[in-house]
């Protein structure tokens, strides 16, 4: 082997090792390993090829503009939609856009809930948007979002 | 590990047919797996509350699928329609399949 190609090969291997610390971490089981969930992937998975309608008219978001601490951002979602047995909201999902893991919660509803409402606390690592997606039992998807300014991040 | 949590009904003096809100508080870590121990440099394993299911008189009324972007010690509020006296049973499952169950009685007035 020529010296030049040997050096090149060694450097390439070292770079791969540096870029992929996950490859060299064997002490954690698969369930315990950190998994990044990019916002776009989550959104595409939720939409499943369909298009989301603007839900700003029916989805009311009660989220502070600038919470004191990004670790606990209270999110209150109220959706003005009938909840009858043949026309109801079947799922509410809360996502963030710039965390490492962007999925906060997915809530499956039934007509027995009486109204479409959800309160949950969300972590936010930096200033970003909070996105709420709502699906009806007929497959319609509504989307609403709000920009939240975070001074002190709360996500590792 | 035993899971600690509380389930309560926020409204008082509710009647049959009213929509009331229930509150769930769970004392649980939500470790993302990205944070590291400052001394050893090893990452804390991913450890979080995974699923919450609420049953009202045996009927499944709500199911929550959580992930690590929910805050530590998650607080959740959800509505449900009172159809009669009974019990609200909430099941918790975390990422290591530890389970817990909390109950609250539903007692409409009148």
């Amino acid at each position: 082997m020529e010296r030049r190609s040997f050096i090149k090969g060694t450097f390439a291997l070292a770079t791969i090792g540096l870029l992929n610390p996950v490859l060299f971490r064997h002490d954690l089981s698969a369930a315990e390993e950190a998994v990044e969930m990019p916002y776009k992937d989550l959104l595409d998975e939720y939409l499943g090829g369909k298009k989301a309608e603007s839900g700003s008219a029916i989805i009311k978001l009660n989220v502070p503009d600038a919470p004191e601490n990004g670790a606990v951002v209270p999110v209150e979602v109220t959706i003005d939609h009938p909840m009858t047995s043949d026309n109801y909201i079947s799922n509410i999902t809360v996502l963030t856009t710039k965390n490492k893991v962007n999925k906060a919660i997915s809530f499956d509803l039934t007509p027995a809930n009486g109204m479409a409402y959800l309160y949950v606390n969300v972590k936010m690592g930096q200033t970003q948007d909070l996105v709420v997606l709502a699906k009806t039992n007929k497959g319609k998807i509504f989307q609403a979002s709000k920009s939240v300014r975070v001074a002190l991040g709360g996500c590792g | 590990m035993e899971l600690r949590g509380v389930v309560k009904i926020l409204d008082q003096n509710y009647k049959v047919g009213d929509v009331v809100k229930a509150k769930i508080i769970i004392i649980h870590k939500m470790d993302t797996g990205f944070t590291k121990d400052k001394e050893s440099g090893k990452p804390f394993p991913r450890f979080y509350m995974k699923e919450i299911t609420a049953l009202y008189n045996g009927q499944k009324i709500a199911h929550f699928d959580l992930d690590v972007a929910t805050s530590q010690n998650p607080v959740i509020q959800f509505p449900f329609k009172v159809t009669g006296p009974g019990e609200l049973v909430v099941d918790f499952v975390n990422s290591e399949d530890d389970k817990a169950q909390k109950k609250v009685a539903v007692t409409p007035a009148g």
Side-chain angles (χ1 to χ4, degrees):
Chain A
M1 187 189 275
E2 277 184 30
R3 183 171 170 270
R4 189 172 296 268
S5 64
F6 172 76
I7 291 171
K8 265 189 190 168
T10 326
F11 267 96
L13 272 178
T15 324
I16 291 169
L18 282 175
L19 290 175
N20 289 318
V22 177
L23 282 178
F24 295 90
R25 206 169 64 201
H26 297 293
D27 53 338
L28 295 177
S29 70
E32 290 175 336
E33 232 167 61
V35 186
E36 289 203 22
M37 293 190 190
Y39 167 68
K40 215 175 165 301
D41 291 5
L42 287 169
L43 187 68
D44 287 349
E45 192 190 325
Y46 193 86
L47 295 177
K50 287 184 194 161
K51 267 200 161 180
E53 292 179 38
S54 167
S56 52
I58 61 163
I59 301 178
K60 283 191 197 84
L61 285 175
N62 186 4
V63 188
D65 294 321
E68 279 181 26
N69 185 353
V72 185
V73 181
V75 174
E76 199 174 22
V77 185
T78 314
I79 303 177
D80 188 11
H81 193 276
M83 290 294 277
T84 53
S85 58
D86 56 347
N87 185 18
Y88 61 94
I89 299 280
S90 62
N91 182 281
I92 301 174
T93 296
V94 179
L95 302 176
T96 55
T97 54
K98 283 182 187 167
N99 281 352
K100 280 181 180 168
V101 176
N102 284 306
K103 184 184 166 186
I105 195 167
S106 162
F107 173 24
D108 291 326
L109 291 88
T110 58
N113 287 102
M115 67 188 273
Y117 170 90
L118 174 68
Y119 173 96
V120 69
N121 288 335
V122 177
K123 277 186 211 163
M124 289 188 141
Q126 54 178 299
T127 299
Q128 56 188 305
D129 286 359
L130 184 100
V131 179
V132 172
L133 295 155
K135 200 184 261 178
T136 66
N137 61 330
K138 290 172 183 163
K140 249 188 195 177
I141 298 168
F142 295 104
Q143 184 177 5
S145 64
K146 184 174 179 187
S147 164
V148 180
R149 203 167 69 243
V150 177
L152 187 67
C155 207
Chain B
M1 195 191 88
E2 195 171 318
L3 302 179
R4 286 188 294 153
V6 181
V7 179
K8 59 183 176 186
I9 294 171
L10 294 176
D11 303 61
Q12 287 175 347
N13 299 324
Y14 50 88
K15 297 186 195 80
V16 173
D18 286 359
V19 175
V20 297
K21 280 172 190 157
K23 187 173 192 172
I24 302 171
I25 305 171
I26 314 150
I27 307 299
H28 200 281
K29 277 187 185 174
M30 295 297 255
D31 281 338
T32 57
F34 292 105
T35 44
K36 284 179 181 167
D37 191 344
K38 275 178 188 161
E39 284 174 14
S40 66
K42 277 190 180 175
F44 290 116
R46 197 158 113 109
F47 180 57
Y48 62 104
M49 180 55 62
K50 197 164 68 177
E51 273 178 71
I52 302 170
T53 311
L55 297 151
Y56 175 41
N57 287 345
Q59 192 201 350
K60 186 170 155 185
I61 55 164
H63 177 87
F64 300 92
D65 207 348
L66 283 77
D67 220 300
V68 293
T70 315
S71 297
Q72 188 169 345
N73 303 339
V75 176
I76 293 167
Q77 287 178 25
F78 69 96
F80 72 97
K81 201 171 193 174
V82 178
T83 51
E87 206 174 29
L88 186 69
V89 180
V90 180
D91 289 305
F92 308 103
V93 184
N94 77 358
S95 58
E96 295 188 341
D97 280 334
D98 295 322
K99 291 185 178 79
Q101 192 175 63
K102 298 284 167 195
K103 293 175 187 173
V104 62
V106 180
T107 49

